[in-house]
Amino acid sequence: MSKNSKVLNLKDKISGNEVDLSLSNLTEVPVRELGLFPKATVVDLSCNNIITLSPEFCSLTHLVRLDLSKNQLTCLPDDLGNLVNLQHLDLYNNKLTGLPVSFSQLKSLKWLDLKDNPLEPGLAKAAGDCLDEKQCKQCALKVLQHMRAIQDEVDRAREKRLLREKELEKKREARQREREAREREARKREKAEEKEKRRKEYVAQMAAVAAQEQQKKKNEERKKKNGQAAADKKVVVEPAPKPRRSLIGLMFKLLLLLMLGLAGVAAACRLTDLQKEAVCVPINTAVDSSLSWAKVQEGVIRQLVQNLSSAAKELLESTQTSKN
């Protein structure tokens, strides 16, 4: 209901293509309601308490003449340059210190009043006094030039900023590439180190296996040597087998026993009462013959010993004589 009443009240303030909202004690612009009347190209909002213009205000591109004098405006929206059809703009007696950079896009602007605003020096110089129609037209021209210069500076600054951003982006990309390259190298190095580690482990494992095999062989050889030494030692420790009795020794012993037997028999036959027996007669005869032969041989041996002694004495004497 309130919305319809606002529309109805706005209709009441429309006359032809003009909307008179001056002295309405407004604190904000009824943008939505004004947008419903695109044929209302002239809007008077003077003598209100408007502090700011909403960003939606810049959508009223049908405006040709706009009066915002005697308000409390401290700034204008950044997209004010969208009002491309605006030809007449009255900002007299506000609290503006500057204009948005997009102000330079108001190419249709022919008339501008910025009196009684605390403008920054450069803008105040471009705006001039605006005491009459001619000065206000001159104000629009010079302010547009001033704002275009600012726009150019802003564009250059933006280009520089974009260039710096591009350079920074390139540097970031370069650093990223370098970091990725380092990471790739690090991964490659890690893989190579891991491979080398596995190779060393494999070599160590093979060496351990070979060492075990070699140790096993050494142990086997040692066991064989120890077994051979033990066998040799055992052979040495074992008593030597008794030599076999030779046949000659056996015959000698038998002969000795036989001789002892004969001697015993001869002694029995000669010294005992058996000497008169028929069996002992031939034995005694043989013993007597043997004794006789032995006596004869004893004389021969004595004669031989005497001859040898005489010969030795003669040889000794002749030797001594020859030495002298």
Side-chain angles (χ1 to χ4, degrees):
M1 185 70 180
S2 61
K3 183 177 178 180
N4 291 333
S5 63
K6 282 184 179 181
V7 174
L8 290 174
N9 291 335
L10 191 59
K11 284 183 178 181
D12 294 340
K13 296 181 178 295
I14 294 177
S15 176
N17 65 339
E18 297 182 5
V19 180
D20 188 3
L21 295 174
S22 63
L23 300 170
S24 298
N25 199 26
L26 297 173
T27 57
E28 60 182 14
V29 178
V31 176
R32 185 174 299 176
E33 288 75 9
L34 289 173
L36 297 175
F37 302 96
K39 293 184 179 180
T41 58
V42 178
V43 178
D44 187 356
L45 292 165
S46 63
C47 302
N48 283 292
N49 294 313
I50 302 172
I51 298 175
T52 59
L53 299 177
S54 65
E56 290 78 13
F57 182 83
C58 300
S59 64
L60 302 175
T61 56
H62 61 281
L63 296 179
V64 175
R65 188 184 182 98
L66 177 62
D67 190 350
L68 287 167
S69 61
K70 297 181 181 180
N71 277 282
Q72 303 296 319
L73 292 171
T74 57
C75 64
L76 298 176
D78 291 336
D79 295 330
L80 187 69
N82 292 343
L83 304 179
V84 292
N85 294 312
L86 190 62
Q87 298 179 10
H88 185 107
L89 178 59
D90 194 346
L91 295 170
Y92 165 72
N93 195 12
N94 277 279
K95 296 181 180 181
L96 297 171
T97 57
L99 298 174
V101 177
S102 65
F103 195 93
S104 63
Q105 299 174 14
L106 299 176
K107 296 181 180 181
S108 299
L109 189 65
K110 305 297 182 185
W111 193 96
L112 176 63
D113 189 354
L114 287 171
K115 288 193 305 295
D116 293 340
N117 280 284
L119 301 173
E120 54 92 14
L123 180 58
K125 182 178 179 180
D129 296 330
C130 293
L131 298 176
D132 53 28
E133 187 77 10
K134 183 179 179 180
Q135 288 183 354
C136 288
K137 290 182 179 180
Q138 192 70 22
C139 174
L141 179 62
K142 290 186 177 181
V143 168
L144 285 175
Q145 291 176 350
H146 176 74
M147 295 308 298
R148 288 190 186 110
I150 293 176
Q151 180 70 57
D152 292 340
E153 291 179 1
V154 170
D155 291 342
R156 286 194 295 270
R158 185 172 62 253
E159 289 177 0
K160 289 181 180 180
R161 185 177 66 254
L162 291 175
L163 184 60
R164 285 196 302 271
E165 289 177 355
K166 287 181 180 180
E167 291 177 353
L168 291 175
E169 182 64 24
K170 289 181 179 179
K171 290 181 180 179
R172 282 194 295 270
E173 290 177 355
R175 287 195 296 269
Q176 179 67 21
R177 288 193 295 271
E178 291 177 357
R179 183 166 57 253
E180 291 175 354
R182 288 195 299 270
E183 290 175 355
R184 286 194 299 271
E185 288 296 325
R187 287 194 297 270
K188 185 177 180 181
R189 187 166 54 253
E190 289 176 358
K191 289 181 179 179
E193 291 175 354
E194 183 65 24
K195 185 176 180 180
E196 181 64 17
K197 181 180 179 181
R198 291 197 302 271
R199 189 189 68 79
K200 288 182 178 179
E201 290 177 352
Y202 175 78
V203 171
Q205 185 177 4
M206 292 297 100
V209 171
Q212 290 178 357
E213 292 294 331
Q214 188 174 3
Q215 186 65 31
K216 186 176 179 181
K217 290 181 180 179
K218 287 182 178 180
N219 293 336
E220 291 177 354
E221 292 176 358
R222 190 180 296 112
K223 286 180 181 179
K224 290 180 179 179
K225 289 181 180 179
N226 293 336
Q228 186 66 32
D232 295 340
K233 187 175 181 181
K234 188 173 181 181
V235 169
V236 171
V237 170
E238 287 181 355
K242 293 180 179 181
R244 294 181 179 181
R245 296 176 179 178
S246 62
L247 182 60
I248 296 175
L250 183 59
M251 292 177 67
F252 177 76
K253 288 181 179 180
L254 291 175
L255 182 60
L256 181 61
L257 289 173
L258 181 59
M259 290 176 67
L260 288 174
L262 291 174
V265 172
C269 289
R270 195 171 184 81
L271 298 177
T272 63
D273 294 337
L274 295 174
Q275 60 183 343
K276 294 179 179 182
E277 295 292 330
V279 176
C280 292
V281 171
I283 294 173
N284 290 328
T285 302
V287 170
D288 290 336
S289 298
S290 297
L291 289 173
S292 298
W293 180 80
K295 286 180 180 180
V296 173
Q297 295 299 324
E298 182 181 1
V300 174
I301 290 171
R302 283 179 181 177
Q303 184 64 39
L304 180 61
V305 170
Q306 288 177 0
N307 293 333
L308 289 173
S309 296
S310 298
K313 285 180 181 181
E314 291 177 358
L315 179 63
L316 180 61
E317 289 176 355
S318 62
T319 302
Q320 289 178 353
T321 304
S322 63
K323 286 182 180 180
N324 292 330

